[in-house]
């Protein structure tokens, strides 16, 4: 009996040792370092400053060494996410769609504004003192005004106005304005305020920030066109991160600034696009952006004078097949 008991104890000890070893192995699988990519809607320095308190809290919460990559070139953040030099990222919806389509990354959270809204609007702005009082004034004066467009990677700066402002009115910016310059949200604001351009794209997030930080400058602007609601930007992570790490990342962001995670201060969040926090989300939030992107590609294909009729038909079939597959995947994400 004593020999049997001794054998049982030895076996139990071996099992416990094995379980402990497995647990440590699992811990060893967790990354010790992680890189977060942030798109700079103003400047890289300004974005880094606004996000730094969140990054510091994230490092403490996850117990990981955190590095950040901040860039006004949205494709740089996308490339980092695809190559695994970046594991977590804030992206515009348009670029997030490319990351999701690649199959290596997925949306896990969405920004929530201070007022609780899940979206914002693209706008066209001009000087308040300008003779332009409405978008119709531009349509009635083709070739008269100059235009600052957004980068083609920008959802609110380019994609949304390209569809809702121009395509819906059956006009192309190249034929509407006397000249076009590509900028970004900050450059566009500055160009209009300085009187360097007649019309520019922007969004309500940047105007809200300007209202808070420089109301005198905001008073110099006039909004002449506003888009339908655009879903707030997503946060993504790579799918190949360990499950426990993904859970910890999600928990940090969706509880940040809430009683469960008091580290997040309201003023820190408000300083980042006037946020109240983040909420759980999925790839499904990108469905409206997928529809807009498909439209843009089909439109470009239609007006491409370099393509033959046969080539245009082939491109049409490729685009519709691609986005049919993508739309189905996004719809599946909605019901999961």
């Amino acid at each position: 009996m004593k020999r049997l008991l001794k054998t049982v104890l030895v076996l139990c000890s071996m099992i416990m040792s094995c379980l402990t070893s497995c647990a440590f192995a699992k811990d060893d699988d967790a990354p010790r370092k992680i890189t977060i990519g942030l798109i700079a809607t103003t400047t890289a320095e300004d974005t880094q400053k606004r996000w730094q308190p969140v990054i510091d809290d994230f490092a403490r919460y996850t117990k990981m060494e955190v590095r950040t990559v901040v860039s006004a070139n949205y494709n740089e953040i996308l490339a980092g996410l695809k190559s695994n030099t970046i594991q977590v990222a804030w992206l515009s919806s348009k670029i997030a769609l490319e990351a999701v389509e690649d199959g290596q990354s997925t949306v896990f959270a969405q920004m929530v504004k201070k007022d609780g809204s899940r979206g914002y609007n693209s706008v066209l702005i001009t000087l308040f003192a300008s003779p332009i009082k409405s978008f119709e004034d531009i349509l009635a004066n083709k070739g008269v005004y100059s235009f600052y467009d957004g980068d083609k990677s920008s959802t609110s700066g380019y994609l949304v106005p390209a569809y809702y402002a121009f395509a819906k009115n059956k006009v192309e910016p190249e034929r509407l304005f006397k000249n076009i310059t590509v900028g970004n949200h900050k450059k566009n604001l500055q160009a209009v305020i300085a009187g360097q351009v007649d019309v520019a794209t922007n969004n309500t997030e940047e105007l809200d920030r300007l209202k808070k930080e420089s109301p005198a400058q905001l008073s110099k602007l006039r909004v002449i066109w506003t888009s339908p609601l655009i879903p707030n930007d997503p946060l993504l992570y790579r799918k190949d991160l360990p499950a426990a790490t993904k859970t910890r990342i999600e928990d940090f962001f969706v509880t940040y600034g809430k009683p469960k995670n008091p580290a997040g201060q309201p003023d820190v969040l408000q300083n980042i696009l006037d946020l109240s926090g983040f909420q759980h989300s999925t790839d499904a939030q990108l469905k409206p952006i997928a529809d807009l992107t498909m439209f843009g590609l089909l439109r470009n294909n239609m007006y491409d004078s370099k393509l033959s009729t046969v080539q245009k038909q082939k491109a049409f079939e490729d685009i519709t097949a691609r986005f049919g597959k993508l739309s189905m995947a996004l719809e599946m994400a909605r019901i999961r």
Side-chain angles (χ1 to χ4, degrees):
M1 186 68 181
K2 288 182 178 179
R3 183 178 298 174
L4 177 61
L5 181 60
K6 184 176 181 180
T7 302
V8 170
L9 290 173
V10 169
L11 287 172
C12 287
S13 177
M14 290 173 64
I15 291 170
M16 289 301 294
S17 176
C18 180
L19 290 174
T20 302
S21 298
C22 290
F24 280 124
K26 186 175 181 181
D27 285 343
D28 287 342
D29 289 339
R32 300 296 182 228
K33 299 179 181 180
I34 199 163
T35 300
I36 298 178
L38 302 172
I39 54 174
T41 56
T42 53
T43 65
E45 294 76 16
D46 177 66
T47 300
Q48 181 76 55
K49 181 179 178 181
R50 292 175 188 275
W51 276 85
Q52 194 58 54
V54 180
I55 300 302
D56 292 341
D57 288 335
F58 179 84
R60 283 189 286 269
Y61 187 88
T62 59
K63 296 179 174 61
M64 288 190 286
E65 180 182 332
V66 182
R67 174 177 172 263
T68 55
V69 175
V70 187
S71 178
N73 181 352
Y74 295 8
N75 283 304
E76 182 179 340
I77 306 301
L78 174 64
L81 200 59
K82 286 184 175 183
S83 66
N84 200 22
T85 56
I86 292 173
Q87 291 77 45
V88 181
W90 163 39
L91 290 173
S92 73
S93 295
K94 184 177 184 297
I95 295 299
L97 186 67
E98 294 185 43
V100 166
E101 187 177 11
D102 185 67
Q104 295 178 320
S105 302
T106 188
V107 173
F108 70 89
Q110 180 184 30
M111 292 176 166
V112 179
K113 303 305 277 305
K114 183 182 176 182
D115 61 5
S117 65
R118 300 184 183 184
Y120 61 107
N121 306 91
S122 174
V123 295
L124 294 180
I125 57 174
T126 187
L127 273 176
F128 190 82
S130 167
I132 305 171
K133 306 302 180 186
S134 67
F135 186 62
E136 286 68 29
D137 290 339
I138 300 173
L139 296 174
N141 292 277
K142 293 182 180 179
V144 173
Y145 302 114
S146 56
F147 180 53
Y148 259 51
D149 204 354
D151 185 275
K152 289 189 176 182
S153 298
S154 174
T155 303
S156 62
Y158 174 80
L159 183 63
V160 171
Y163 176 67
Y164 287 107
F166 302 120
K168 284 279 193 178
N169 285 286
K170 299 179 180 179
V171 64
E172 298 175 57
E174 293 79 8
R175 297 182 181 181
L176 183 59
F177 297 101
K178 64 179 180 182
N179 57 65
I180 298 175
T181 304
V182 176
N184 59 33
H185 299 313
K186 184 172 184 178
K187 289 179 181 177
N188 289 8
L189 277 174
Q190 291 174 339
V192 173
I193 291 171
Q196 297 169 349
V197 67
D198 296 307
V199 183
T201 64
N202 220 277
N203 65 44
T204 50
E205 291 181 329
E206 294 301 320
L207 296 187
D208 288 343
R209 175 154 43 202
L210 191 64
K211 180 179 180 179
K212 177 182 176 182
E213 298 176 358
S214 183
Q217 287 194 323
L218 181 66
S219 68
K220 297 179 181 179
L221 301 176
R222 181 196 306 276
V223 174
I224 59 170
W225 174 86
T226 303
S227 77
L229 197 70
I230 307 166
N232 284 338
D233 288 347
L235 300 182
L236 302 90
Y237 54 43
R238 283 185 57 88
K239 290 181 177 180
D240 57 5
L241 285 171
T245 301
K246 289 190 282 191
T247 297
R248 197 149 183 80
I249 291 170
E250 288 186 41
D251 287 347
F252 170 80
F253 280 103
V254 300
T255 63
Y256 194 74
K258 299 180 177 67
K260 183 180 176 182
N261 184 3
Q265 298 299 318
D267 58 333
V268 169
L269 287 164
Q270 289 174 31
N271 207 30
I272 304 173
L273 300 177
D274 205 29
L275 301 181
S276 66
F278 308 88
Q279 66 177 11
H280 280 295
S281 188
T282 69
D283 297 344
Q285 80 163 76
L286 301 175
K287 180 63 168 62
I289 307 304
D291 294 340
L292 284 172
T293 303
M294 181 176 70
F295 158 78
L297 292 174
L298 290 173
R299 178 173 174 268
N300 291 340
N301 176 57
M302 183 186 302
Y303 290 108
D304 192 339
S305 60
K306 297 178 182 178
L307 299 180
S308 67
T309 302
V310 173
Q311 289 173 320
K312 287 183 179 182
Q313 180 60 33
K314 176 64 167 60
F316 174 84
E317 292 171 359
D318 290 344
I319 292 168
T320 52
R322 170 192 168 192
F323 280 88
K325 180 180 178 181
L326 180 56
S327 292
M328 185 177 295
L330 297 179
E331 286 294 342
M332 290 299 293
R334 189 186 305 279
I335 62 177
R336 282 203 292 269

